[in-house]
Amino acid sequence: MTKMTRLTAVFGAACLLSAGASMTAMADWVQQGNDWLYLDNSGNRVTNEWRQSNGYYFYLGSDGVMARDQWVDDEYYVDINGVRVTDRWIYSEDGSGNAPDPDGGWFYVGSNGRILSEEWATINGQRYRFDSDGSMLSGWYNDNENLYYLGDPDDGAAKTGWLCLFYDQEEDDQEDGSVYEVDDSGYGTWFYFGTNGRAVRAGEEDNYVSRNINGYRYYFDENGVMATGWARVASQAEDDVTGISTLKYFGAPNQGQMAEGWVYLYDDPEESEDGSNDFSFNTASASNASRGDWSDGAWYYFDGSGVPAYLESDAATLTDATTRINGQRYFFDEYGRMQSALLGIQLADGTVVSAYFGADDSDGAMKTGRVTNVEEEDGEISTFYFTTTTGGQTGVRNGYLYSNGKLVTAEDGEDYQVFSVNGTLYLVNESGRVQDSNRTYRVDGEYRYEYDNGIIYYINDDRERLGQVTEGYRAPYIGFWAVYQLGQ
C-alpha cells in the first residue's frame, strides 16, 4: 500500500498510518506522496467538493487530489497549502489557467471566499470597483451617471480629493479603463473627486458646475476638468456689449481658484491659440479705444461672485459708469480693464464731462477736489477740479474758474483775460483766480478792463469806458486720453 499520512502540519492531527496497515471506516485526510486526499467512510476519494477542517476549507479536484495555489470554479482561490483564501488580494498573470478572467489582473476574495464581482467594495478604507469577471478596474470608470478615476492597474483605489493628470482634452477621452500618468508638477489637468470618489463635473446641459472647496470657489466642466485662466461660465448680461460678463478668471494652471477682488493680469481674456477658450469679444461701442490699444497687462476687479467689473451699456451718469470699491470709485471699460488717466465721459445728451483716475502708476481711484499735475494726452500738465458725481467742475470754485474741470488761466504775460464759460464772462488772472472787485485792471502795464457790479468794460489808458465786453476767449482745450460714450 502506498504510504499515507494524515495532514498533521495543517490540521494538527497526530495519528500516522503505517505502511500496509488497514484503513478504518472513518472519513479522513490522508497523504499520498506529495498529494493530499480525502477518503470517505468507504475509503473512496472525495472529488469536486469542498471539505472543512479546523475552520479551513479545502477543495478536492476531479481526481480527488487537494487543490493548491490555484483558482477553483472561477470564483475561489486556494493557497500553497490548499487553504481557501478569504479577505485577500490575488494577482493573476495574463493567460493564467482557471483564472476568473484569462486576461489576468487583481481580484479580491471576500470573507466567504468568493471573489467580488460587479460591485463596489471598501477595502482597508479604500473603494474599489470590480467587473462581472471579478477583475479590479483601473483608470476612468463611468457608470453613465458618475465619473470616477481608479488609478493605474496596480492601484485601483477610487481617488478622492485633488488629482492632477497628464490629460489633453483635445486628444484624450475618458473611456473606461483609460489610464493617465499623474502629474506631480501640478501643472497638468486638475480634477476633484468627492469622498465617494465621484468627480465633480457639469451636467450635459451645463458648461460648468461650481464647488466651494477649502474656502475657495472652483469650476469644473462636463469632463470634470478644473477651469483655469479665463473661462466662459455664465450667460451674457443684458447691459454687457462685449461678452465680458460671461467670463470669470481662475488663475494659473496649478491654481484654479475663482478670482475675487483686485487682480493684475497679463493674459487678456481672448480665445487661446489651442482653442481651449472658445469665447471671443464683441467690439466695444461706447469708447474710441479698442482692444488693439491694450498694453501688456491691466487691473481687473471681480466681485464676490467672480464677475468682473465693466462699463455697463445702460450707464447714464458718471456715478453709473464707475464702480464703488472700498469707498473709492474706479472706471472699467467695456472689456473689464481698469482705466487710469484723464478720461472724457460722454453723456447721452452729448455732453462730455471730465474725470481723472490718476496716473498710470497710481491706484486708479477717481480723484476729487483740486488736483494739480494732471497730464493730458498732448503732454500738457494742468490743474483740475473734480466733483464726486458730475466730474469736472464748471464755473467758479473757491475763487478760481474751471471749465469741465480744467483751470482757466490768462496766458503768460497777459495779466488778465476774459473767458466765456458756459455762457458767462469771467475776468481771470494768470493763476486762474476770478477778478470780481469793482476796479480797473491793467494788462502789460496798460489799462484794459474795468469790473463794475458783474459787468466787464473795455477802458483806455485814461480809464474811460469804451464799451461792454460781450465776448471772451473760449475755454481751454482738454486732451483726454480716451472718451467713453454712455448709453450705448
Side-chain angles (χ1 to χ4, degrees), residues 177-239:
S178 57
V179 177
Y180 298 99
E181 184 179 351
V182 174
D183 184 356
D184 294 329
S185 73
Y187 282 86
T189 303
W190 282 96
F191 301 84
Y192 187 82
F193 302 87
T195 55
N196 55 10
R198 297 172 183 171
V200 177
R201 61 173 179 167
E204 294 181 357
E205 298 180 355
D206 302 313
N207 290 331
Y208 287 89
V209 64
S210 68
R211 289 289 186 276
N212 190 302
I213 303 171
N214 297 327
Y216 295 97
R217 179 67 59 177
Y218 299 85
Y219 277 67
F220 303 87
D221 68 13
E222 67 278 7
N223 295 316
V225 174
M226 179 191 75
T228 60
W230 290 97
R232 183 189 293 277
V233 300
S235 300
Q236 188 166 343
E238 293 183 358
D239 58 11

Side-chain angles (χ1 to χ4, degrees), residues 204-422:
E204 294 181 357
E205 298 180 355
D206 302 313
N207 290 331
Y208 287 89
V209 64
S210 68
R211 289 289 186 276
N212 190 302
I213 303 171
N214 297 327
Y216 295 97
R217 179 67 59 177
Y218 299 85
Y219 277 67
F220 303 87
D221 68 13
E222 67 278 7
N223 295 316
V225 174
M226 179 191 75
T228 60
W230 290 97
R232 183 189 293 277
V233 300
S235 300
Q236 188 166 343
E238 293 183 358
D239 58 11
D240 170 23
V241 296
T242 65
I244 184 65
S245 64
T246 68
L247 307 180
K248 297 183 182 183
Y249 187 72
F250 298 96
N254 63 331
Q255 294 175 328
Q257 298 96 341
M258 183 188 77
E260 296 183 48
W262 288 104
V263 182
Y264 191 85
L265 300 176
Y266 289 99
D267 51 334
D268 296 322
E270 60 184 343
E271 184 174 0
S272 60
E273 293 181 0
D274 61 6
S276 60
N277 295 326
D278 60 356
F279 55 83
S280 58
F281 273 126
N282 296 325
T283 302
S285 60
S287 72
N288 60 6
S290 68
R291 296 183 68 230
D293 298 326
W294 290 2
S295 56
D296 292 336
W299 282 103
Y300 295 82
Y301 183 82
F302 301 88
D303 66 17
S305 298
V307 178
Y310 60 92
L311 177 59
E312 299 174 357
S313 61
D314 58 0
T317 65
L318 180 60
T319 299
D320 294 339
T322 54
T323 301
R324 186 177 179 85
I325 303 171
N326 297 328
Q328 301 281 354
R329 288 200 166 273
Y330 300 84
F331 184 82
F332 300 87
D333 67 12
E334 303 95 322
Y335 300 106
R337 295 166 62 95
M338 186 197 80
Q339 301 296 312
S340 56
L342 179 64
L343 304 179
I345 309 299
Q346 184 174 345
L347 307 181
D349 63 2
T351 303
V352 176
V353 298
S354 64
Y356 184 57
F357 298 92
D360 286 341
D361 57 353
S362 72
D363 62 1
M366 186 171 75
K367 311 307 178 193
T368 58
R370 186 180 173 96
V371 183
T372 59
N373 298 319
V374 175
E375 183 178 5
E376 300 182 48
E377 188 274 337
D378 57 5
E380 182 178 351
I381 304 299
S382 307
T383 296
F384 281 76
Y385 193 99
F386 302 97
T387 65
T388 303
T389 57
T390 59
Q393 169 76 39
T394 294
V396 180
R397 188 78 179 216
N398 298 327
Y400 291 87
L401 179 62
Y402 300 91
S403 176
N404 199 7
K406 187 171 183 177
L407 179 66
V408 180
T409 63
E411 294 181 12
D412 290 342
E414 287 294 315
D415 296 319
Y416 301 96
Q417 282 182 304
V418 176
F419 287 88
S420 176
V421 174
N422 209 19

Side-chain angles (χ1 to χ4, degrees), residues 94-239:
D94 184 9
S96 298
N98 299 321
D101 186 339
D103 293 332
W106 285 100
F107 304 84
Y108 191 83
V109 290
S111 58
N112 61 2
R114 287 189 175 92
I115 61 171
L116 305 183
S117 63
E118 201 65 36
E119 63 181 294
W120 285 99
T122 299
I123 303 169
N124 297 326
Q126 302 277 4
R127 295 188 75 220
Y128 299 85
R129 178 70 187 184
F130 300 89
D131 67 12
S132 58
D133 292 324
S135 296
M136 179 197 75
L137 299 182
S138 60
W140 291 107
Y141 173 65
N142 194 328
D143 63 5
N144 297 322
E145 184 175 345
N146 299 299
L147 179 67
Y148 305 83
Y149 190 73
L150 308 177
D152 62 43
D154 288 324
D155 180 0
K159 299 299 167 252
T160 61
W162 289 106
L163 181 66
C164 186
L165 300 175
F166 285 105
Y167 175 85
D168 186 341
Q169 294 188 76
E170 296 300 310
E171 299 180 3
D172 298 336
D173 53 36
Q174 293 167 312
E175 292 184 357
D176 286 353
S178 57
V179 177
Y180 298 99
E181 184 179 351
V182 174
D183 184 356
D184 294 329
S185 73
Y187 282 86
T189 303
W190 282 96
F191 301 84
Y192 187 82
F193 302 87
T195 55
N196 55 10
R198 297 172 183 171
V200 177
R201 61 173 179 167
E204 294 181 357
E205 298 180 355
D206 302 313
N207 290 331
Y208 287 89
V209 64
S210 68
R211 289 289 186 276
N212 190 302
I213 303 171
N214 297 327
Y216 295 97
R217 179 67 59 177
Y218 299 85
Y219 277 67
F220 303 87
D221 68 13
E222 67 278 7
N223 295 316
V225 174
M226 179 191 75
T228 60
W230 290 97
R232 183 189 293 277
V233 300
S235 300
Q236 188 166 343
E238 293 183 358
D239 58 11

